[in-house]
Amino acid sequence: MFRLRTDNLKIPAGILTLLLLAAGGWALCAPKPPLLDGIPFSTLVLDRHGGLMRLSLAEDGRYRVYTPLEEIAPHLLEATLLYEDRYFRLHPGVNIPALLRAAWNTLRGRRMGASTITMQLARLRLRLDTSGIGGKLRQIERALAYELHYSKRDILEAYFNLAPYGGNIEGCGAASRIYYHKTPQRLNLTEALSLAGVPQNPSGRNPLARRKRGEEPGSRPGPAALETDGHRERLFRLWLREHPEDAGSAFLSRAGPDVYAPADLPFTAPHVAVEAVARYGGRRTPVKTTLDLRLQRRLEELLGAMLRRNAGLGVNNAAALLVHWPSMETRALVGSADFFNPEIEGQVDGSRARRSPGSTLKPFIYALALDQGLIHPHSLLYDTPRSFEGYDPENADQEFRGPLSASAALRLSRNIPAVNLARRLGQSKDAPDLYAFLREAGVPFAHGREHYGLTLVLGGAELSMRELASLYALLARRGTPEKLLLFEQDKDRQPTAPPRRLLSPEACVLTLNMLRALPPAQSLYKISTVRRVPMYWKTGTSNGLRDAWTAGIFGPYVLVIWVGNFNNRPNQAFMGARIAAPLFWETAEAIYALENLDDTPMRDLEELNIARVRVCGGTGDLDTSLCPDVVETLFIPGVSPIENSGVYRRILLDKASGMRACVDVPGRTERVVWEFWPTDLQQVFRRAGIMKPAPPPFLPECAAADNVGGRPPAIISPKSGVLYHRSLSRPQGTVLTLHAAGDADAADFFWFADGSFIGRSKPGEHLVWTPPGGLSTIRVVDNFGRSDSRNIRVELTE
């Protein structure tokens, strides 16, 4: 009687037959056993070209990448079968001749394995201890059951996904990516032969164990050394028997390939990789992102260089997002300066953090105003002190520029014109205000419209970098919103119905044209870039100097840059034009060097309802008959406004006295063009050293009030919509300031409260008044009888 030896187990050969019969009976009666169901797999995160970004551990702490049989190199399959189980396709799960041969070798004192690949799969799948009879019997039973219920292909695929390849690495998919930084489909013959024999002795034969002695795992890749048991040479000899044509590749048996360790695995775009694992982790299929690693690495390099240049200013964190707007796919995302730096809270994803956007929302106010016929690009806007129902915005430089074209007001980021335009926007579905537009575009708000009011214009609500990029992409896409894409899996969640257009294509094109500007002086760009690819960009700085932004469009890309601190610590350097805009332009130039970009946003303009018209350069009026400076601007026929500003007027002058006349008398009077600027703008001009003389007074015989025309005065103070308080304990301490602006020829303002005369003031002067309690009507009348009125409420307190 001879015995079969398996490790420390000796089974009499006679009993072996009974065990096999019993195991076969159990297999016939047993339900269909699972192969890979319930096995956790690593998450494989790839870029859009299939480049590896991250390989995570499975839930059980092992590297295990699900790999279909068709994605495994044929020579790895053949070499493994040749070495492990050459009769795999013939036996029913248990190789009886191999068992008998193992028994004969046991009698001769030689140790020899007899487990088939199916039996090895059973041991791996069930984590069996096969050193005892019970374990061995269970292994044989499960192998027979696998063969009964599954095809050879399914069994082989399961084996290659569970086979041990050293340490916590299981499956050829994980082994090839970790050891050789390749997919199993791309393994060459050398690498395939190196892996084929590893499952028999994972700890001794894995590629890391074959490194030269003294070379630590995770160090610089180097050639693998020969292992002591010579399994690769034996395998190569077996291979040559089947493939004698490879005899010329004998060097394969002597030199191994470069080998890597798990520590050498990439962790590219860590914020995206972490999000991928969180959202799609545990699935068998790889998570394919839309990132382009070439653009990702370039953006990381430029962002890091910017931070090093500005380290002396205390600038140590930034984030950036690059979106391909035609497809809405994210091409690069840098969530922070250093994912592994706790001092800057580097694991916070700046692209998802909700921050104040500063002035980066202003382009959408102008786009809405263009769509609603409030302005055209050269319309005249006033940058002068204004109060909006108790809200008193100022400009970042604490100055006022006076009259500006809409394009200049947007490019110079003047706050008063933007807030005034926002106040004039509608509140209907067809003519929305900024709040309604942003909500329709997918920006979530924590509060209602009234909570934000007009502060929304200047960054009064928080939004994320991703939302801001989507908004700028909407401009490039000519008014059609689309969700940002970061993962290929997200495409399955896109709505089937086309989204509603939120802005007209014409308004989008005009807004982009208004945003087109030269780069800031601090950037390191080459001037030729400006001539080759136009850039449409806008900066933003949050209140308190906590966030510096630049967002814009060039070619097929939207780029958003943020510089700041996640803990909201302010910094005087955090100004969009100073710190974020240079990085925007440097990145745009770097991408231009990598790709051949064109002016994609301005294609096919001939299909749009846009005309080029001549307007007055100083006022934007279409009537240029009185204008000394005529320019061209874009115009939306049937939508853009056509009314004149009334700044340039033709008046009659008496030649003898220089005063204004009422009746044209040949030889005595002459017609001249005069600039009529409101009194508040005249003060701005005077502060700037610009003289804008007021029109001459009328001749005494003129009944001026009946035919003078012009603008009525406008009350600046007291403010509308403000509840004033007056203390009864200090009756003389509570006063209101009365202030108005009028037309250029207004010489006096007369003030009334509920019909009673209060006093008189000159343009630019203030009148002080002590109000009674309750509701009062304040009225101002200029010297030509033109007037304005306002209701105010005063509450009396103790």
Side-chain angles (χ1 to χ4, degrees):
M1 171 91 55
F2 61 84
R3 299 174 182 270
L4 172 66
R5 178 176 176 178
T6 306
D7 297 330
N8 297 323
L9 174 67
K10 295 183 179 181
I11 305 175
I15 299 176
L16 177 62
T17 304
L18 296 177
L19 291 177
L20 291 174
L21 291 174
W26 290 336
L28 287 172
C29 298
K32 182 178 181 179
L35 272 181
L36 293 177
D37 293 345
I39 295 294
F41 285 92
S42 301
T43 301
L44 194 64
V45 184
L46 309 175
D47 82 330
R48 65 190 301 262
H49 300 298
L52 180 62
M53 293 172 55
R54 186 189 181 191
L55 177 61
S56 72
L57 290 168
E59 292 178 1
D60 58 0
R62 299 174 183 273
Y63 289 107
R64 189 186 297 114
V65 177
Y66 173 74
T67 307
L69 196 65
E70 295 76 18
E71 296 180 9
I72 301 174
H75 34 262
L76 176 59
L77 295 174
E78 185 177 352
T80 302
L81 292 178
L82 190 64
Y83 196 71
E84 295 280 356
D85 190 357
R86 67 175 61 194
Y87 300 108
F88 168 76
R89 302 192 185 280
L90 301 176
H91 62 66
V94 178
N95 190 338
I96 302 298
L99 288 175
L100 295 175
R101 185 168 58 253
W104 173 250
N105 279 281
T106 298
L107 288 177
R108 299 173 59 188
R110 295 175 57 189
R111 183 175 177 179
M112 181 177 181
S115 293
T116 63
I117 278 184
T118 314
M119 293 172 64
Q120 292 180 51
L121 173 62
R123 176 176 56 80
L124 295 169
R125 183 64 179 83
L126 300 180
R127 305 288 180 187
L128 292 174
D129 178 6
T130 57
S131 60
I133 293 179
K136 179 58 67 175
L137 186 61
R138 178 69 169 146
Q139 181 186 27
I140 293 174
E141 176 271 326
R142 179 53 60 95
L144 294 173
Y146 283 153
E147 295 281 350
L148 181 65
H149 291 285
Y150 294 98
S151 67
K152 289 288 187 180
R153 179 208 170 278
D154 293 339
I155 293 171
L156 197 60
E157 179 179 281
Y159 171 80
F160 275 102
N161 278 279
L162 295 178
Y165 286 91
N168 62 343
I169 301 172
E170 292 187 359
C172 67
S176 61
R177 289 185 180 274
I178 292 174
Y179 292 137
Y180 304 122
H181 286 190
K182 291 183 178 181
T183 64
Q185 203 166 27
R186 295 179 56 241
L187 291 173
N188 59 39
L189 182 58
T190 304
E191 295 156 346
L193 294 177
S194 297
L195 288 180
V198 173
Q200 277 196 12
N201 182 9
S203 60
R205 293 179 179 174
N206 74 78
L208 283 179
R210 295 197 305 268
R211 280 184 172 180
K212 292 180 179 180
R213 188 174 300 274
E215 189 174 333
E216 295 294 331
S219 63
R220 182 181 177 184
L226 298 176
E227 76 260 60
T228 56
D229 65 4
H231 92 278
R232 199 152 57 94
E233 288 81 351
R234 293 196 300 275
L235 180 54
F236 186 68
R237 288 193 293 270
L238 291 174
W239 182 267
L240 289 180
R241 293 176 189 172
E242 303 293 328
H243 297 279
E245 70 276 9
D246 291 330
S249 301
F251 70 91
L252 293 174
S253 66
R254 297 193 299 270
D258 287 344
V259 177
Y260 299 83
D264 300 319
L265 283 172
F267 192 13
T268 310
H271 295 90
V272 177
V274 168
E275 184 177 349
V277 174
R279 289 179 57 181
Y280 299 107
R283 301 186 181 189
R284 292 186 180 184
T285 56
V287 181
K288 194 170 185 179
T289 72
T290 61
L291 298 188
D292 185 322
L293 291 189
R294 179 188 54 165
L295 297 176
Q296 175 73 26
R297 295 188 181 103
R298 193 72 184 101
L299 186 55
E300 290 174 353
E301 292 169 0
L302 292 168
L303 188 144
M306 182 275 292
L307 293 175
R308 287 190 294 273
R309 288 196 307 269
N310 294 281
L313 300 175
V315 179
N316 55 23
N317 200 9
L321 179 64
L322 182 70
V323 176
H324 181 257
W325 61 258
S327 65
M328 290 303 291
E329 294 180 354
T330 303
R331 290 289 187 258
L333 188 156
V334 184
S336 70
D338 185 353
F339 182 83
F340 300 100
N341 186 350
E343 294 183 1
I344 64 169
E345 302 175 80
Q347 295 192 19
V348 174
D349 185 351
S351 75
R352 292 198 284 178
R354 303 188 68 77
R355 314 283 306 184
S356 167
S359 295
T360 55
L361 294 182
K362 284 179 182 174
F364 305 99
I365 298 167
Y366 284 81
L368 290 167
L370 287 164
D371 239 355
Q372 296 177 26
L374 301 180
I375 60 170
H376 58 69
H378 223 82
S379 291
L380 184 64
L381 302 179
Y382 294 155
D383 181 24
T384 56
R386 290 289 303 273
S387 179
F388 303 91
E389 299 182 351
Y391 178 45
D392 303 312
E394 295 182 344
N395 292 306
D397 57 7
Q398 305 297 310
E399 298 289 340
F400 298 96
R401 300 287 185 94
L404 296 167
S405 71
S407 294
L410 176 56
R411 282 196 298 269
L412 295 173
S413 199
R414 309 312 289 174
N415 290 340
I416 311 302
V419 173
N420 194 34
L421 275 180
R423 181 186 62 84
R424 296 168 58 194
L425 294 175
Q427 290 192 9
S428 67
K429 184 175 181 180
D430 294 328
D433 62 0
L434 181 62
Y435 179 86
F437 166 79
L438 293 175
R439 286 201 60 174
E440 186 76 12
V443 177
F445 288 104
H447 307 283
R449 175 186 285 105
E450 294 74 17
H451 175 83
Y452 303 105
L454 292 174
T455 65
L456 186 61
V457 177
L458 308 181
E462 296 177 338
L463 73 164
S464 71
M465 178 182 284
R466 298 187 187 188
E467 291 160 355
L468 190 59
S470 296
L471 290 172
Y472 274 76
L474 182 147
L475 285 178
R477 295 173 62 84
R478 299 188 177 175
T480 304
E482 289 285 354
K483 289 188 176 297
L484 205 65
L485 294 174
L486 185 55
F487 305 103
E488 290 289 337
Q489 286 83 347
D490 291 344
K491 294 180 179 179
D492 299 334
R493 302 181 179 182
Q494 292 289 78
T496 54
R500 187 173 76 90
R501 191 184 296 275
L502 302 184
L503 291 170
S504 71
E506 292 80 6
C508 293
V509 168
L510 265 62
T511 302
L512 290 177
N513 196 63
M514 293 164 69
L515 287 172
R516 181 173 177 172
L518 293 176
Q522 296 95 331
S523 70
L524 303 179
Y525 73 101
K526 297 175 182 176
I527 194 66
S528 57
T529 302
V530 181
R531 302 191 186 100
R532 292 183 296 188
V533 182
M535 310 291 174
Y536 312 92
W537 57 287
K538 181 71 186 72
T539 61
T541 303
S542 67
N543 187 36
L545 299 175
R546 291 176 170 84
D547 307 90
W549 295 89
T550 296
I553 301 162
F554 58 93
Y557 293 110
V558 168
L559 175 63
V560 182
I561 304 290
W562 170 85
V563 183
N565 294 311
F566 291 139
N567 62 7
N568 285 330
R569 188 174 66 252
N571 188 323
Q572 293 297 316
F574 291 166
M575 291 184 286
R578 176 180 180 180
I579 202 77
L583 178 57
F584 178 93
W585 280 87
E586 290 160 19
T587 303
E589 182 189 347
I591 294 177
Y592 183 87
L594 294 173
E595 302 180 9
N596 185 22
L597 304 181
D598 60 12
D599 193 10
T600 313
M602 291 298 170
R603 288 178 178 172
D604 306 321
L605 296 186
E606 64 278 359
E607 301 176 2
L608 303 181
N609 179 34
I610 296 177
R612 187 173 291 276
V613 299
R614 292 166 61 84
V615 297
C616 181
T619 64
D621 296 339
L622 281 129
D623 182 1
T624 61
S625 59
L626 305 180
C627 182
D629 178 28
V630 178
V631 298
E632 283 193 344
T633 189
L634 297 179
F635 193 84
I636 308 177
V639 176
S640 297
I642 59 175
E643 63 269 13
N644 288 337
S645 64
V647 169
Y648 291 102
R649 305 177 199 172
R650 197 183 302 274
I651 63 174
L652 279 174
L653 285 185
D654 180 73
K655 294 180 180 180
S657 64
M659 299 178 72
R660 269 196 284 178
C662 307
V663 179
D664 187 9
V665 179
R668 180 182 169 185
T669 60
E670 63 177 346
R671 294 185 180 274
V672 298
V673 176
W674 208 278
E675 295 183 37
F676 282 72
W677 295 101
T679 55
D680 55 342
L681 283 176
Q682 290 181 16
Q683 298 175 44
V684 174
F685 286 137
R686 282 194 294 270
R687 285 196 295 268
I690 302 173
M691 298 308 297
K692 296 286 185 180
F698 280 91
L699 290 169
E701 61 265 26
C702 290
D706 295 333
N707 59 10
V708 67
R711 301 186 192 88
I715 296 175
I716 297 176
S717 176
K719 302 170 183 177
S720 175
V722 175
L723 177 63
Y724 291 91
H725 295 270
R726 177 184 169 192
S727 174
L728 294 176
S729 61
R730 299 176 58 207
Q732 302 303 321
T734 304
V735 295
L736 291 183
T737 299
L738 306 182
H739 179 52
D743 205 357
D745 54 0
D748 295 286
F749 294 129
F750 303 90
W751 294 89
F752 301 84
D754 296 324
S756 299
F757 180 68
I758 299 174
R760 171 180 172 179
S761 65
K762 294 286 186 181
E765 295 179 350
H766 298 76
L767 187 67
V768 175
W769 172 59
T770 302
L775 184 65
S776 298
T777 300
I778 302 297
R779 186 166 180 261
V780 63
V781 182
D782 69 10
N783 52 298
F784 292 111
R786 300 169 298 204
S787 65
D788 185 24
S789 62
R790 175 169 296 175
N791 292 328
I792 65 167
R793 182 176 295 278
V794 178
E795 184 176 283
L796 301 179
T797 59
E798 295 294 334

